[in-house]
């Protein structure tokens, strides 16, 4: 049996993750995006969802939305709108619960983006809840 030689990371994988964790993408959010790992905290899920918007990964966004609040048209809406916005910066303002042993959590963040060349800012308090052991995005309130 031959061992598979690991390939070197691509430029994107070796660059800093857009979630602003200060880690490279290949060891930060990419394992979540590829299904090789699951976020252990609500903040990790929130950061990985931001990176999924940044890298335009609508399937990940759909799968990490809690079934209790997942609109039946969500996947279609994500595919139709994922290219409308260019995300540029993420700031985590505060987290409440959402740790490895919690069932619920909240993450307040500010996400900066461009739409039609104009800069905008989204300030949201997101709620997260576990579903079958995995963290899922429940909903959010803009502030």
């Amino acid at each position: 049996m031959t061992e598979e030689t690991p390939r070197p990371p691509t430029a994107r994988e070796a660059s800093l993750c857009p979630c602003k964790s200060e880690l490279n993408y290949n060891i930060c959010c990419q394992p979540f995006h590829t299904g090789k790992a699951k976020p252990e905290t609500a903040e990790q899920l929130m950061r990985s969802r931001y990176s999924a918007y940044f890298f335009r990964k609508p399937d990940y966004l759909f799968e990490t939305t809690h079934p209790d609040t997942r609109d039946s048209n969500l996947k279609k809406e994500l595919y139709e709108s994922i290219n409308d916005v260019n995300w540029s910066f993420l700031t985590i303002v505060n987290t409440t619960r959402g740790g490895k042993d919690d069932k619920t959590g909240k993450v307040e963040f500010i996400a900066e983006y461009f739409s039609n060349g104009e800069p905008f800012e989204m300030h949201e308090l997101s709620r997260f809840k576990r579903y079958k052991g995995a963290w899922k995005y429940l909903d959010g309130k803009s502030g």
Side-chain angles (χ1 to χ4, degrees):
M1 188 169 206
T2 61
E3 281 189 35
E4 187 176 312
T5 305
R7 65 168 178 74
T10 64
R12 175 186 279 183
E13 293 168 347
S15 65
L16 290 178
C17 193
C19 82
K20 304 302 178 201
S21 66
E22 299 184 9
L23 299 172
N24 287 0
Y25 174 65
N26 65 328
I27 61 170
C28 188
C29 290
Q30 186 182 30
F32 305 139
H33 293 165
T34 60
K36 292 182 179 171
K38 291 193 183 294
E40 295 181 357
T41 67
E43 182 177 330
Q44 280 183 332
L45 177 62
M46 193 269 130
R47 287 179 180 276
S48 72
R49 285 176 56 86
Y50 173 84
S51 292
Y53 276 106
F54 184 93
F55 287 130
R56 295 173 167 88
K57 297 184 172 293
D59 290 330
Y60 182 79
L61 295 164
F62 178 81
E63 291 301 323
T64 57
T65 301
H66 200 285
D68 289 352
T69 55
R70 187 188 304 155
D71 185 273
S72 61
N73 293 325
L74 178 60
K75 189 177 267 194
K76 180 178 183 258
E77 290 169 3
L78 285 166
Y79 270 93
E80 289 174 352
S81 66
I82 199 79
N83 293 309
D84 294 348
V85 171
N86 291 312
W87 298 94
S88 58
F89 203 83
L90 176 67
T91 303
I92 302 294
V93 176
N94 189 37
T95 60
T96 307
R97 292 189 318 274
K100 294 178 184 181
D101 298 323
D102 293 320
K103 292 185 181 1
T104 63
K106 294 179 182 178
V107 179
E108 181 182 1
F109 67 92
I110 298 170
E112 298 172 34
Y113 65 95
F114 289 85
S115 180
N116 296 320
E118 295 291 320
F120 293 92
E121 195 175 84
M122 181 174 107
H123 187 173
E124 182 174 296
L125 178 60
S126 297
R127 295 189 314 152
F128 297 87
K129 184 177 177 183
R130 289 193 187 267
Y131 178 76
K132 297 184 178 179
W135 283 109
K136 302 288 182 179
Y137 171 77
L138 191 62
D139 60 20
K141 292 181 182 176
S142 294

